[in-house]
Amino acid sequence: MSEQQPLIKYVFRSTPRYIQAAGLIDHAAEPLVALKVKHCAILCTPRSQQGEAKRLIAVLEQAGVSTCVSTFGGECSFREIDARTAELRQQAPVDALIALGGGKTLDAGKCIADRLEVPVVIMPTLASNDAPCSALSVIYTPEGATETYEVFAQNPALVMVDTEIVAQAPPRFLVAGMGDAMSTWYEARACHTNPAGMTPYGDRPTLAGVALSKTCADILYDYAVAALDDVRAGRVTPAVDHVVEANTLLSGAGFECTGVAGAHALAQALTLLPEVDHNYLHGEMVAIGVLTQLMLEADRAEAERCARLFATVGLPVNFSQLGMSLEDEVAVGTVIEATLAFPFIGNMPFEVTADNLRQAFSDVERLGAELINEMGDQPYRSLRS
C-alpha cells in the first residue's frame, strides 16, 4: 500500500468584518451590539485612556455595553500577555476584548482574547503596520527583540478603523505602514513563484491573496505621496482612505494568504540590534528588507522604482539611515545569522546565503546613497524632526 501524499491546501483567510470611516469611534457601538457584546474589556495604553478610550467607553456605555480597562505596558511579550490575562480573569467575565492602539497593543490583545476564549475586536489608532486583520501575533522579549509568533484559529471578529484618528497621528506612522504594506506584494510574488512557498499557516498562496497583494502595491505607488500630503494638512481624503486600507486590510489579507519571505526575515533580524530596534518602526525596517529582497532577486529596476517612492515619502533607503553601519562586522553578522534563521526565509525561490545577503546589503547601501545624492533626504529628516 503506497504512502498517502500530504494534502496541499490553498486557503484564503480574512477577518469577517472590516469597517473604515472618519469618525467611526463615535459609532462603534452598533457593530459591537450586533455581535451581542454586553460586557467587554478594553486593552489600551495610558495615553489612549485619556483620549480614544474615553470616547469609546462613553459611546459603548450609552448603548448599554459595560466596559473594564486593562492597561497595556507597551511590549507584546509573554510576561505582559500573562499579566494582563491574569488581571482580567480576576474580574467579571467579559464576552469580548477590544484592542485599541498600535500594532503591539493589537497583537497582545489577540493573545489575551485567545487565552480568555472570547472574540477580539481590533481598533487601530495607527496605520503603521498590517497587524489588525491577521490571525497571528508577533511576540517580543520584554526588551523588544523578536522572540516568536502565535497563530490563532480565527481572525479578529471585527476590525474598525477610524481614519480621522489615524490621520491625526504623526505622519511617520502612516509612512511606516507604507513600508510594511509594500513588502506584501514582493513577498507574495516570491512565495507564489516558489513551488514550495507557504503562508504563515503552512498553506499554499492563493491567487486571491496574490491579487490583493498586487493591488496593495499599486495603491501605494499611485496614492502614497498624495496621502502623506493630505495627512500633513489634516485632511481625510480618498487618497488617505486608499492608503489606510492598503496598509491595513489589503496588506493583512495579502500576507496571510500568500506568505512572507526575505523582507520580513531581515526586518525581524534587525530587532536584535538595540540601536535599530529602539529608534525605528517595524515598517521602516521592513522597507530596508524590501530593497534587500529585490537586490537578492537581482531586480535592480524594481528596487530603484521602490526606493524612489521610499525616498519621496521619507522611508529609509539604505542601512545608514536605519542606524546600522555595514562596517560593523558584529552587527552585520548578527543580522545575517538571524535572517537566515527566520522560519520563512525558505519562501524565497532560491537559496539565500550569507554571501548573497552581504552582496545585497552592499547593493542597497549603494543604491540608497545614489538616491540621497540625487534627491536629498529632506522627507526622511522631516518625519523625525
Side-chain angles (χ1 to χ4, degrees):
M1 186 174 180
S2 62
E3 292 186 7
Q4 187 175 6
Q5 294 297 313
L7 183 65
I8 299 175
K9 297 182 295 179
Y10 297 80
V11 178
F12 184 86
R13 300 182 62 132
S14 178
T15 184
R17 193 172 186 192
Y18 175 93
I19 308 172
Q20 178 179 310
L24 181 59
I25 195 168
D26 296 322
H27 302 270
E30 181 183 346
L32 285 166
V33 170
L35 288 175
K36 304 189 185 313
V37 174
K38 296 181 179 178
H39 178 56
C40 66
I42 300 174
L43 180 75
C44 58
T45 63
R47 188 206 63 78
S48 286
Q49 289 171 29
Q50 303 306 311
E52 302 93 359
K54 184 180 292 187
R55 290 172 64 187
L56 178 62
I57 290 168
V59 167
L60 294 182
E61 292 187 345
Q62 187 174 11
V65 178
S66 60
T67 61
C68 63
V69 174
S70 181
T71 302
F72 179 58
E75 194 55 73
C76 185
S77 65
F78 285 123
R79 185 168 70 188
E80 179 70 14
I81 292 163
D82 291 344
R84 302 285 73 75
T85 303
E87 172 191 61
L88 289 171
R89 280 180 173 152
Q90 292 173 357
Q91 303 181 31
V94 297
D95 45 23
L97 183 143
I98 301 174
L100 174 70
K104 290 189 176 181
T105 305
L106 308 184
D107 272 358
K110 295 178 210 174
C111 294
I112 296 164
D114 184 66
R115 286 155 174 74
L116 295 175
E117 299 182 331
V118 298
V120 65
V121 174
I122 300 294
M123 295 189 67
T125 55
L126 307 169
S128 61
N129 57 69
D130 55 17
C133 297
S134 72
L136 61 82
S137 292
V138 179
I139 310 297
Y140 298 84
T141 66
E143 295 72 34
T146 304
E147 182 171 350
T148 185
Y149 68 99
E150 286 195 358
V151 175
F152 312 110
Q154 302 294 330
N155 289 71
L158 171 65
V159 177
M160 293 190 284
V161 184
D162 188 326
T163 46
E164 190 171 74
I165 291 173
V166 168
Q168 290 170 354
R172 183 180 177 185
F173 291 103
L174 182 70
V175 171
M178 296 175 189
D180 200 20
M182 186 62 83
S183 74
T184 309
W185 162 234
Y186 295 113
E187 291 181 294
R189 187 176 71 171
C191 295
H192 183 59
T193 301
N194 182 355
M198 292 290 176
T199 72
Y201 313 108
D203 307 312
R204 281 289 289 148
T206 61
L207 294 177
V210 173
L212 287 176
S213 301
K214 180 64 166 61
T215 300
C216 183
D218 289 343
I219 288 171
L220 294 175
Y221 281 118
D222 290 343
Y223 295 102
V225 176
L228 177 58
D229 289 343
D230 290 335
V231 164
R232 281 178 165 149
R235 301 187 297 258
V236 178
T237 63
V240 173
D241 276 323
H242 293 342
V243 169
V244 169
E245 184 177 340
N247 287 8
T248 308
L249 177 62
L250 295 175
S251 182
F255 95 79
E256 281 201 293
C257 299
T258 58
V260 295
H264 271 80
L266 178 61
Q268 297 302 334
L270 286 167
T271 67
L272 297 177
L273 304 181
E275 64 274 21
V276 177
D277 184 55
H278 295 163
N279 294 296
Y280 297 90
L281 301 172
H282 172 71
E284 294 168 340
M285 299 182 213
V286 175
I288 291 298
V290 171
L291 301 182
T292 300
Q293 178 177 319
L294 290 170
M295 287 302 190
L296 279 169
E297 294 170 332
D299 195 344
R300 166 82 189 203
E302 198 68 8
E304 182 171 344
R305 178 193 183 207
C306 189
R308 283 187 178 278
L309 177 64
F310 287 176
T312 301
V313 297
L315 283 166
V317 292
N318 64 10
F319 289 89
S320 299
Q321 286 185 319
L322 205 62
M324 175 181 165
S325 170
L326 295 188
E327 295 180 2
D328 184 341
E329 279 298 323
V330 174
V332 171
T334 296
V335 170
I336 287 176
E337 182 180 1
T339 300
L340 295 176
F342 185 70
F344 299 105
I345 192 65
N347 278 340
M348 293 294 289
F350 50 81
E351 183 182 6
V352 179
T353 67
D355 287 342
N356 59 21
L357 265 176
R358 283 181 182 276
Q359 184 59 54
F361 290 0
S362 296
D363 292 341
V364 169
E365 196 73 3
R366 190 177 305 110
L367 172 62
E370 291 171 0
L371 289 178
I372 292 168
N373 184 58
E374 175 192 338
M375 303 172 63
D377 65 349
Q378 178 58 34
Y380 173 84
R381 287 187 286 110
S382 67
L383 286 182
R384 289 155 183 79
S385 60

